């Protein structure tokens, strides 16, 4: 490119020695991108080589078409090593196009033994004149990977020729691969491919029950969720939950617009309070209001949940129905953080009727995201909350959210699910881990059936089956 030493690669590294054409002698001097044999006046030699290349290229121009196919076989360039896989030489060619030619719309580089297109991206980004190229002929080269095609995105091509390359061997699929990587392309190998666009659908990754970054984050998220939701169901806001939050923590609530809370006057009052505290629904009323719905500081976070979110509602979270994803991330702060995303359902209880003598129970789904940071010394929590977001929505049984475990599920995910169930079973029944796993295995890893089985046979278990 312009301004760079002609005898150096990117980064200023000198190219290795090469052979001068026709001599058989090693060239121990610095090699320029044209591969011209050095003489006493290197600068003059390089200038002459560039001028030779420029004149040849001008002879191959016709209006907005430039034909640079089979450069290595051109007699006019017999003293120049035309290696289009060399970044320096490719920069030279595209530099000449950008500086000495009118806008070129069609460029042929067919039959040049090109194996990589990596240099095209950098050249197109640095030379705006190359942005006029709409038709590119790369046929009869040696491009093996579709990843190379992605380097052509800056050109905004409408037509590309790739026949004769290894990637074109599968004629039925390779046009689709090109369309996926170059959305602007309309013609491939002179064939209109616009009709193929409707058949190209993005592939979603396979559904996974749960994702854990490492076994350590799995254990951390399990311990935290078990402790957190137990305290929430017990409404231990002041005594326990307040210690789960960092001093500078934040909490936000969002609601689905179609969320309903039970029935009766009290349920309507609860729903009105939730909507007033909802970060997203406040946008519909006043775009400046959402800032007031963000609770900051541990005391405000806990009071918001106690008074505005839950209030008169009692909760019952079933951890066995949760899907938990964890990811360890590195922030701008010195300490890493763990993001825990929980999808699940909760059973709410609201007193209704005169004097609150009756109780209305209903289920609602939720998505809860915790940003966890290391807990201070002597804390009862495995980690503390730096940021928390809660979204409440209508209850839906969804196979997308909770796929059934089967033989096709990856073994590591199935083991993670069984490990989590075993710990829950042991915690609820006071069984040892070993006997909790045996009980679940006998019930085909169904927690409800395992608990029922235990009630029937607990008198038959030996003393060592129970925790001390």
């Amino acid at each position: 490119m312009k301004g760079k030493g002609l005898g150096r690669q990117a980064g200023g590294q000198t190219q290795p020695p090469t052979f001068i054409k026709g001599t058989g002698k090693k060239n121990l001097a610095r090699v320029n991108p044209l591969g011209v044999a050095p003489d006493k006046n290197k600068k003059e030699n390089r200038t002459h080589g560039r001028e030779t290349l420029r004149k040849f290229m001008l002879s191959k121009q016709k209006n907005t078409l430039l034909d640079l196919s089979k450069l290595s076989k051109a007699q006019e360039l017999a003293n120049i090593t035309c290696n289009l896989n060399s970044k320096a030489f490719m920069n030279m060619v595209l530099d000449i196009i950008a500086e000495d030619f009118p806008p070129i719309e069609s460029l042929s580089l067919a039959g040049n033994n090109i194996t990589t297109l990596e240099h095209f991206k950098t050249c197109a980004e640095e030379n705006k004149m190359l942005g006029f190229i709409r038709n590119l002929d790369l046929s009869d080269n040696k491009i093996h990977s579709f990843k190379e095609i992605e380097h052509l995105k800056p050109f905004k091509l409408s037509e590309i020729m790739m026949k004769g390359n290894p990637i074109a061997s599968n004629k039925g699929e390779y046009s689709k691969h090109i369309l996926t990587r170059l959305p602007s392309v309309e013609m491939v190998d002179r064939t209109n491919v616009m009709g193929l666009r409707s058949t190209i659908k993005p592939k979603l990754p396979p559904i996974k029950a749960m994702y854990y970054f490492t076994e350590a984050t799995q254990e951390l998220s399990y311990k935290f969720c078990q402790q957190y939701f137990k305290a929430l169901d017990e409404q231990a806001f002041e005594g326990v939950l307040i210690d789960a939050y960092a001093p500078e923590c934040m909490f936000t609530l969002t609601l689905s617009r179609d969320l309903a809370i039970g029935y009766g006057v009290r349920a309507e009052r609860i729903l009105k309070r939730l909507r007033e505290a909802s970060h997203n629904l406040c946008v519909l009323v006043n775009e400046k209001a959402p800032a007031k719905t963000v609770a900051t500081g541990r005391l405000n976070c806990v009071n918001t949940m106690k008074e505005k979110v839950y209030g008169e509602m009692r909760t019952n979270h079933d951890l066995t129905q949760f899907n938990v994803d964890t990811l360890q991330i590195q922030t701008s702060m010195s300490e890493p953080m763990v993001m825990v995303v929980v999808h699940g359902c909760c059973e709410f209880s609201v007193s209704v009727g005169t004097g609150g003598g009756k109780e209305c129970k209903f289920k609602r789904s939720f998505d809860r995201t915790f940003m966890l940071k290391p807990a201070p010394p002597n804390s009862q929590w495995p980690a503390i909350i730096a940021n928390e977001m809660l979204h409440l929505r209508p209850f839906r049984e969804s196979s997308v959210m909770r796929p059934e475990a089967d033989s096709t599920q990856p073994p590591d995910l199935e083991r993670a699910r069984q490990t989590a169930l075993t710990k829950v079973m042991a915690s609820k029944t006071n069984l040892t881990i070993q006997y909790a796993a045996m009980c679940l295995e006998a019930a085909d890893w169904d927690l409800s059936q395992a608990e029922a089985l235990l009630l029937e046979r607990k008198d038959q278990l030996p003393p060592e089956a129970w925790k001390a």
Side-chain angles (χ1 to χ4, degrees), residues 414-435:
E414 179 60 18
R415 282 196 296 271
R417 188 184 76 89
Q418 292 177 359
T419 299
L421 284 174
T422 301
K423 292 178 179 178
V424 172
M425 181 74 178
S427 176
K428 296 179 70 172
T429 61
N430 207 37
L431 284 171
T432 63
I433 291 293
Q434 180 183 357
Y435 278 84

Side-chain angles (χ1 to χ4, degrees), residues 32 36-39 41-50:
N32 67 60
V36 180
D39 57 15
N41 192 331
K42 296 179 182 178
K43 182 176 180 180
E44 180 181 341
N45 190 40
R46 290 194 296 268
T47 303
H48 174 73
R50 178 189 172 100

Side-chain angles (χ1 to χ4, degrees), residues 160-176:
I160 188 170
M161 297 275 288
M162 294 295 296
K163 65 179 182 179
N165 283 276
I167 61 171
S169 58
N170 188 344
K171 295 182 179 180
E173 293 295 325
Y174 104 99
S175 292
K176 292 183 179 181

Side-chain angles (χ1 to χ4, degrees), residues 68-73 84 108-114 137-141:
L68 300 181
S69 59
K70 301 180 181 179
L71 289 181
S72 61
K73 297 182 179 181
L84 288 174
S108 174
L109 296 172
N112 280 299
N113 295 317
I114 297 174
D137 186 358
L138 291 169
S139 56
D140 298 320
N141 281 293

Side-chain angles (χ1 to χ4, degrees), residues 304-429:
T304 297
M305 284 195 296
K306 178 182 178 182
E307 298 172 4
K308 297 181 179 181
V309 179
Y310 298 104
E312 303 163 77
M313 296 188 295
R314 309 253 332 160
T315 60
N316 182 25
H317 293 86
D318 185 357
L319 270 68
T320 63
Q321 303 300 309
F322 285 8
N323 288 299
V324 182
D325 301 319
T326 65
L327 180 66
Q328 184 171 328
I329 60 176
Q330 186 68 49
T331 64
S332 57
M333 297 180 291
S334 59
E335 56 191 14
M337 301 182 77
V338 174
M339 182 170 66
V340 180
V341 183
V342 182
H343 307 285
C345 65
C346 174
E347 184 182 71
F348 291 88
S349 302
V350 179
S351 298
V352 296
T354 305
K358 297 182 180 180
E359 195 173 54
C360 171
K361 292 186 177 181
F362 52 91
K363 285 185 176 182
R364 294 294 178 266
S365 295
F366 71 89
D367 310 294
R368 204 162 196 142
T369 302
F370 300 98
M371 293 296 297
L372 304 180
K373 59 186 294 186
N378 303 322
S379 174
Q380 61 177 316
W381 293 90
I384 57 175
I385 303 167
N387 196 318
E388 179 182 4
M389 294 171 283
L390 170 63
H391 179 72
L392 294 176
R393 52 189 170 85
F395 173 71
R396 292 187 181 93
E397 283 282 6
S398 172
S399 59
V400 173
M401 292 298 297
R402 184 161 51 86
E404 295 182 0
D406 55 32
S407 58
T408 64
Q409 190 176 34
D412 57 334
L413 294 177
E414 179 60 18
R415 282 196 296 271
R417 188 184 76 89
Q418 292 177 359
T419 299
L421 284 174
T422 301
K423 292 178 179 178
V424 172
M425 181 74 178
S427 176
K428 296 179 70 172
T429 61

Side-chain angles (χ1 to χ4, degrees), residues 72-250:
S72 61
K73 297 182 179 181
Q75 292 296 323
E76 299 91 331
L77 303 177
N79 293 325
I80 296 176
T81 302
C82 300
N83 180 11
L84 288 174
N85 292 309
S86 164
K87 183 176 182 179
F89 185 77
M90 178 60 75
N91 285 349
M92 177 70 76
V93 171
L94 297 179
D95 220 17
I96 293 174
I97 294 175
E99 293 180 1
D100 301 327
F101 283 75
I104 296 297
E105 295 181 3
S106 301
L107 175 63
S108 174
L109 296 172
N112 280 299
N113 295 317
I114 297 174
T115 60
T116 179
L117 302 175
E118 183 178 359
H119 313 321
F120 283 73
K121 181 179 180 181
T122 304
C123 294
E125 290 173 347
E126 295 181 1
N127 288 294
K128 293 183 179 180
M129 291 297 292
L130 299 177
F132 290 99
I133 297 175
R134 293 292 178 265
N135 310 302
L136 182 61
D137 186 358
L138 291 169
S139 56
D140 298 320
N141 281 293
K142 298 181 179 180
I143 299 170
H144 290 78
S145 172
F146 284 108
K147 289 184 179 180
E148 298 294 336
I149 302 298
E150 297 179 5
H151 297 305
L152 300 177
K153 285 183 178 179
F155 284 91
K156 308 299 180 186
L157 301 174
S158 59
E159 181 178 6
I160 188 170
M161 297 275 288
M162 294 295 296
K163 65 179 182 179
N165 283 276
I167 61 171
S169 58
N170 188 344
K171 295 182 179 180
E173 293 295 325
Y174 104 99
S175 292
K176 292 183 179 181
H177 283 288
I178 291 176
L179 287 177
T180 301
R181 290 162 173 81
L182 301 177
S184 61
V185 167
E186 300 175 2
M187 302 280 290
V188 176
D189 294 340
R190 297 180 180 176
T191 301
N192 192 311
V193 292
M194 293 298 291
L196 288 176
R197 292 197 179 279
S198 60
T199 65
I200 300 175
K201 298 179 180 179
K203 293 183 178 181
L204 295 176
I207 298 171
K208 296 182 178 181
M210 287 181 277
Y211 171 79
Y212 293 107
F213 188 68
T214 63
E215 290 185 4
T217 57
Q218 174 187 359
E219 185 69 17
L220 173 70
S221 62
Y222 169 77
K223 288 182 178 180
F224 177 84
C225 288
Q226 185 183 45
Q227 191 171 344
Y228 182 88
F229 288 101
K230 181 176 183 294
L232 189 59
D233 290 342
E234 294 174 353
Q235 295 192 334
F237 294 104
E238 290 87 354
V240 181
L241 279 176
I242 194 169
D243 294 329
Y245 290 85
E248 70 285 0
C249 62
M250 301 176 68

